[in-house]
Amino acid sequence: MKETKTGGSRVRKTAASAALALMTLLYVLDLLLPLPLGAAAAAAAAAVLLLDLPFMGKTFRLPAWIFFLLGAAVLLFCRAPLSQWEQGLSSMMKTVVILVVMQGLALAMRRGGYEQAAAECLCGRSGSLAGLFCLILLLSHLLAGVMSLGCVVVILAAISPAVRQRLPDSRRFLAASLSWGYCTLFLWAPGTVTVLMSMQVFDLDWQSYFPPAFALSLLGLALGAGIAHFRFRGQSLASAGTETVSPGAWRKLRRLAGVLAVIVAAVALLERLGFSTSTGRLLVTILAVTAVWLTAQGRVPEAPPLLRQWWQDYLPKNQDLAAFFLSMGVFSAAIQYSGFGDRLTKLCAGHSGLLGPLVLPLLPLAIVAFSLVGLHPFVSVLMVGPILAGLPLPVTPLQLGLTMSLGCCLSYMLSPFAGLILTLSHELQEPPLRMCLRANLPFAIPYYLLATLAITWLC
């Protein structure tokens, strides 16, 4: 019986991966070719939802089921046509497809030895505590765009043993440096869910969103470096190691920074040329950069093993998030079709004068408050964003998008339920709430104030 269950689970996972890969392929072809493939992509998305939703992990299981059941019930009650179900599945499909395509960059990074290069640079770093803090800050910021939470594990594996032996308050040091660098990336990085959803909800293009978002991210990094300078001024690691770092390791990190810069520049160039949609530009750029990057590593003869590794190790990682976002799409389509969203927007519009310009400082606080009771920032964006987008507020859509991303950024470092905090808590053996309060709150408060002022007066 056990073998039968195991075999059935393996078949289900294979079928789910095949449906996810087919959905991604059809979506990309629908964007780039004059072929009516939207309905076929929606059918593949329905298969993904059917195969993955009942078997999701606990992180997204409850909100995904709530979204799907409520959305399906409303659509059935309102006797919505099949086209409305298709619209719901398609509405969040692009976010899922981008997440799948981004895994190609992670594969290229691992195959090229960039994780080992980061570990070598960290292990060989000695001397000033402030310098080490800033190095971890920058590396976590750089690596998070490709590796997500994987960068936390890589950096901790490289530096944690040495720091714990030589620094009394090592847990706070590591948690702060990793959190501040990791979270500020989600203000600007192309392909991250926070950026995609903020741009989608407020109908922003990449060319207008990126410069101020990147500036806010730099503001956070500069603030983190300044806090580290004053907190650790004149301090150094006791008995710091003398390991040297090979020039090749630093060269790989510079190359990685160059890859991210190329992605940003290519998306902006394609937008200026009027090529495809915003999603199409991003997907084409990521696919092209991944192909060139792997080819430059001399991996062309190993294409079958590469595809096998992507299929077995990278594609399945997206199944839970795929089911979550697709269920969100069903819910949003139901709200739109039932007219509830329009009625709620009209109700809020009658009281929009109570918000006024205060919406900018209040929006990040609301997202953080929701996250403190376990509501994921993705859900908050879906709930609050469309309502604000339909209100006659005395602020621009760009300001709303930036404050929305800022709220998500702060939630990731202040919520004890956030994936980053739970990962750090497990690796460092530190209670999540203690980590949020001791390591991240001293940074989050001044960053929130400075970023909100910058968005209000400069954007």
Side-chain angles (χ1 to χ4, degrees):
M1 176 67 79
K2 185 175 181 181
E3 291 181 0
T4 303
K5 289 183 178 180
T6 303
S9 175
R10 189 181 300 116
V11 170
R12 182 198 64 80
K13 290 179 180 178
T14 301
S17 294
L20 186 57
L22 179 61
M23 183 194 75
T24 302
L25 176 62
L26 290 172
Y27 186 88
V28 173
L29 292 177
D30 185 51
L31 281 176
L32 302 179
L33 300 177
L35 297 174
L37 299 175
V48 172
L49 195 57
L50 178 67
L51 292 167
D52 285 332
L53 187 59
F55 304 95
M56 291 179 67
K58 62 180 181 180
T59 303
F60 295 105
R61 183 189 304 153
L62 181 59
W65 272 109
I66 291 174
F67 278 132
F68 177 73
L69 292 177
L70 285 177
V74 171
L75 289 174
L76 290 173
F77 179 78
C78 296
R79 298 181 180 180
L82 186 61
S83 60
Q84 193 65 26
W85 291 83
E86 180 185 335
Q87 179 184 335
L89 290 169
S90 302
S91 62
M92 295 301 296
M93 194 187 302
K94 68 179 180 182
T95 301
V96 178
V97 171
I98 290 173
L99 292 176
V100 172
V101 172
M102 284 291 291
Q103 294 291 343
L105 293 178
L107 176 60
M109 182 175 173
R110 174 168 292 184
R111 298 284 291 185
Y114 289 85
E115 295 178 8
Q116 293 88 336
E120 183 180 342
C121 292
L122 284 169
C123 288
R125 178 69 177 143
S126 62
S128 166
L129 266 183
L132 178 60
F133 188 99
C134 291
L135 179 61
I136 298 174
L137 184 80
L138 292 174
L139 276 178
S140 61
H141 190 85
L142 178 64
L143 299 178
V146 180
M147 297 177 62
S148 189
L149 286 174
C151 75
V152 175
V153 178
V154 169
I155 292 175
L156 286 178
I159 200 68
S160 180
V163 173
R164 286 188 178 187
Q165 292 174 6
R166 300 164 185 164
L167 188 65
D169 198 10
S170 62
R171 290 184 176 90
R172 183 183 180 187
F173 179 90
L174 292 170
S177 55
L178 282 164
S179 299
W180 304 356
Y182 179 92
C183 293
T184 49
L185 174 109
F186 291 90
L187 285 163
W188 69 268
T192 55
V193 177
T194 300
V195 172
L196 291 173
M197 295 188 70
S198 294
M199 292 177 62
Q200 179 178 340
V201 167
F202 297 107
D203 195 24
L204 300 172
D205 59 77
W206 176 250
Q207 201 165 350
S208 63
Y209 178 86
F210 171 72
F214 187 66
L216 289 176
S217 182
L218 291 179
L219 174 64
L221 293 176
L223 177 63
I227 293 175
H229 174 74
F230 287 106
R231 182 182 293 176
F232 304 113
R233 182 169 47 186
Q235 300 182 45
S236 60
L237 282 176
S239 304
T242 58
E243 300 178 28
T244 59
V245 182
S246 66
W250 289 112
R251 186 161 51 248
K252 284 189 175 181
L253 289 187
R254 289 194 295 269
R255 193 177 301 155
L256 179 60
V259 167
L260 296 180
V262 166
I263 292 174
V264 172
V267 171
L269 176 62
L270 291 177
E271 183 171 344
R272 186 175 292 273
L273 295 175
F275 175 80
S276 187
T277 64
S278 59
T279 305
R281 291 187 285 269
L282 181 60
L283 290 174
V284 167
T285 299
I286 294 173
L287 289 171
V289 168
T290 300
V292 172
W293 200 2
L294 287 171
T295 303
Q297 296 171 10
R299 305 293 181 182
V300 176
E302 299 183 16
L306 276 176
L307 290 174
R308 191 180 307 114
Q309 184 179 7
W310 175 79
W311 176 270
Q312 295 175 349
D313 299 337
Y314 290 88
L315 186 61
K317 294 179 181 179
N318 297 285
Q319 290 179 1
D320 279 9
L321 274 177
F324 175 72
F325 283 120
L326 292 174
S327 63
M328 287 171 62
V330 173
F331 177 76
S332 64
I335 295 298
Q336 179 182 356
Y337 188 76
S338 67
F340 177 78
D342 293 335
R343 287 192 290 270
L344 185 60
T345 299
K346 290 179 181 177
L347 177 64
C348 294
H351 301 84
S352 60
L354 299 176
L355 283 175
L358 290 178
V359 68
L360 296 182
L362 290 178
L363 180 55
L365 295 179
I367 296 176
V368 171
F370 288 145
S371 72
L372 293 178
V373 296
L375 198 63
H376 199 282
F378 299 165
V379 182
S380 301
V381 171
L382 182 69
M383 290 171 49
V384 178
I387 296 175
L388 293 178
L391 294 180
L393 296 169
V395 293
T396 65
L398 176 60
Q399 289 176 312
L400 289 173
L402 292 172
T403 51
M404 186 77 79
S405 296
L406 175 63
C408 294
C409 165
L410 296 173
S411 297
Y412 295 147
M413 68 175 72
L414 292 178
S415 172
F417 306 104
L420 169 68
I421 298 301
L422 293 175
T423 302
L424 286 172
S425 175
H426 173 74
E427 296 289 336
L428 298 176
Q429 298 298 303
E430 184 84 354
L433 186 59
R434 179 181 174 88
M435 202 174 305
C436 295
L437 296 177
R438 293 189 70 245
N440 293 335
L441 191 60
F443 169 82
I445 292 175
Y447 184 48
Y448 159 73
L449 294 173
L450 290 174
T452 303
L453 285 174
I455 294 171
T456 302
W457 299 109
L458 300 180
C459 294

